[in-house]
Amino acid sequence: MDLKDKLLSSFIAFENNMDLDHPVHDVRSEAIKNFEEKGFPSKKEEAWKYTSLNAIQKVDFSIFPKKENTLEYKDIKKYFLHEIDTYKIVFIDGVYSSYLSETTHDGVDVCLMSAALTKPQYKQIIDVYFNKVASKDESLTTLNTAFSKEGAYIYIPKNKVPKKPIQIVHLATGNEAALMLQPRNLVIVEENAEVQIIERHQSLTGNEVLTNSVTEIFAAKDANVDYYKVQNDENTASLIDNTYISQKDKSVVRVHTFSFGGKLTRNNLNFYQNGEYMDSVLKGVTILGEKQHVDHHTLVHHAQPNCESHQDYKGIFGEKSTGVFNGKIIVDKIAQKTNAFQQNNNILISDKATINTKPQLEIFADDVKCSHGCTIGQLDEDALFYLQSRGIPKKEAVALLMYAFANNVLESVRIPELKTRINKIIANKLGVRVGFDL
């Protein structure tokens, strides 16, 4: 039985444990029909031209964990941003861990999708927001919708700011030979509210893990959202991360994606601007080696005038790694005075590494400022020579140049402790000595 057939048969068992009278039941049923019709995307599709899921489909993944597992915080502390106090929503093999989590209902809701989808007090919000911005056509998104049950539910009411940042951490124990996870997150930030969120997916062993994640984010008028994705997983872990963002007037949403690990990672990041005077910020750093593969697909749809978007992605690719960047900006005819910037810069440090980059602009308005570009190259030989002439050994000089190349993306990270943590990961990846005078 291939993975598609296994998922379709597993859906029957999944639905038997759900409330068939709940409105979400109809949403799930439509979603599984879409996935049954389309199946997994293939390289025949333009959007998946450089990323193959064939090998993944041959793995015999467990769709549901066979038992609940527990972990001790001391054993996994390093995967958390433990330098500061945060709310935590933690899942172990897809199952919520109350022991490791710290949630709240004190003025804001930081809790579980399973509660939001089943408890009456959340029904009105679920009816308004759940599956409203996520694609109803993209097959892997609809697969997640069909199995949507658990994940993070974050609701920030008007004029509220949580007392501390929020961490969403998904841990895979490896107690299954191969496990598939499908978390569903819903983030709603009402008018003039703010939130900072850090998300991480982490395997604890070398067993195969496939995560098909969907996050919906709604930013109301004057809302401010910072979302950080830390992807530094084992080389047997694959992640398909689908994020859909709806913005209203004068809102600001920033998403930073740090891709350092994993076997195959596909990030689908979609911004929909549904108001005026808003800003969308998409930044990313990718550092790969071995046979790792990371594919960034971004979309910013400017549907109203007087808005901005800024995309800046940096990539460093070594050994036999492969990178993909496909960034699309759409400017509707009504969206005059749009200011859209997109840049993708890449360094290949191995003649066997590959990067495929395709920036796209579709502009239907005439009074706009839009630019896009990409670069692919090696390190600056003159800069390398200069550092060596100052007494820095070549290996360390190369590492310093790569560090400087990647590091400027961190300037917009607004959690100092997270910036320090990412700095250390980048330095470690590139071989920059701790304590070296930068």
Side-chain angles (χ1 to χ4, degrees), residues 422-433:
I422 299 299
N423 256 316
K424 289 180 180 178
I425 294 174
I426 292 175
N428 182 62
K429 278 280 191 180
L430 299 177
V432 176
R433 292 182 298 160

Side-chain angles (χ1 to χ4, degrees), residues 225-284:
V225 179
D226 281 302
Y227 206 106
Y228 304 96
K229 297 174 181 288
V230 181
Q231 301 168 348
N232 192 24
D233 213 338
E234 298 291 325
N235 283 345
T236 49
S238 297
L239 170 65
I240 300 166
D241 187 87
N242 307 281
T243 303
Y244 299 90
I245 299 165
S246 174
Q247 290 184 246
K248 297 292 187 181
D249 296 321
K250 300 180 182 178
S251 62
V252 179
V253 178
R254 306 174 190 88
V255 177
H256 292 72
T257 305
F258 303 107
S259 302
F260 305 128
K263 179 170 68 174
L264 181 151
T265 303
R266 167 73 177 230
N267 290 303
N268 297 319
L269 180 56
N270 306 278
F271 278 75
Y272 300 97
Q273 295 190 339
N274 300 304
E276 294 190 55
Y277 302 103
M278 65 186 69
D279 193 5
S280 304
V281 178
L282 303 77
K283 295 197 174 186

Side-chain angles (χ1 to χ4, degrees), residues 79-198:
Y79 301 121
F80 292 81
L81 188 65
H82 54 77
E83 294 85 354
I84 59 173
D85 190 20
T86 63
Y87 295 116
K88 301 173 186 68
I89 312 174
V90 183
F91 303 92
I92 302 174
D93 293 338
V95 179
Y96 172 65
S97 170
S98 58
Y99 174 67
L100 295 174
S101 298
E102 180 187 344
T103 60
T104 185
H105 298 285
D106 183 15
V108 301
D109 286 324
V110 179
C111 57
L112 305 180
M113 276 297 293
S114 57
L117 288 171
T118 56
K119 293 186 177 180
Q121 62 264 40
Y122 299 107
K123 183 180 183 303
Q124 184 175 354
I125 293 175
I126 291 298
D127 289 347
V128 172
Y129 293 105
F130 178 75
N131 205 46
K132 293 302 188 292
V133 68
S135 174
K136 298 170 184 60
D137 185 60
E138 200 279 321
S139 64
L140 293 176
T141 297
T142 59
L143 172 62
N144 176 283
T145 300
F147 283 90
S148 57
K149 177 184 177 182
E150 194 59 284
Y153 173 82
I154 298 170
Y155 178 77
I156 314 299
K158 182 177 179 180
N159 298 325
K160 294 289 186 179
V161 179
K163 296 177 181 177
K164 47 195 176 183
I166 301 165
Q167 294 192 72
I168 305 171
V169 181
H170 298 273
L171 301 166
T173 62
N175 289 339
E176 309 277 347
L179 180 64
M180 183 173 182
L181 301 171
Q182 301 205 71
R184 181 67 170 241
N185 303 318
L186 178 59
V187 179
I188 303 155
V189 186
E190 295 286 16
E191 183 177 344
N192 199 39
E194 297 184 19
V195 70
Q196 294 179 320
I197 300 170
I198 306 159

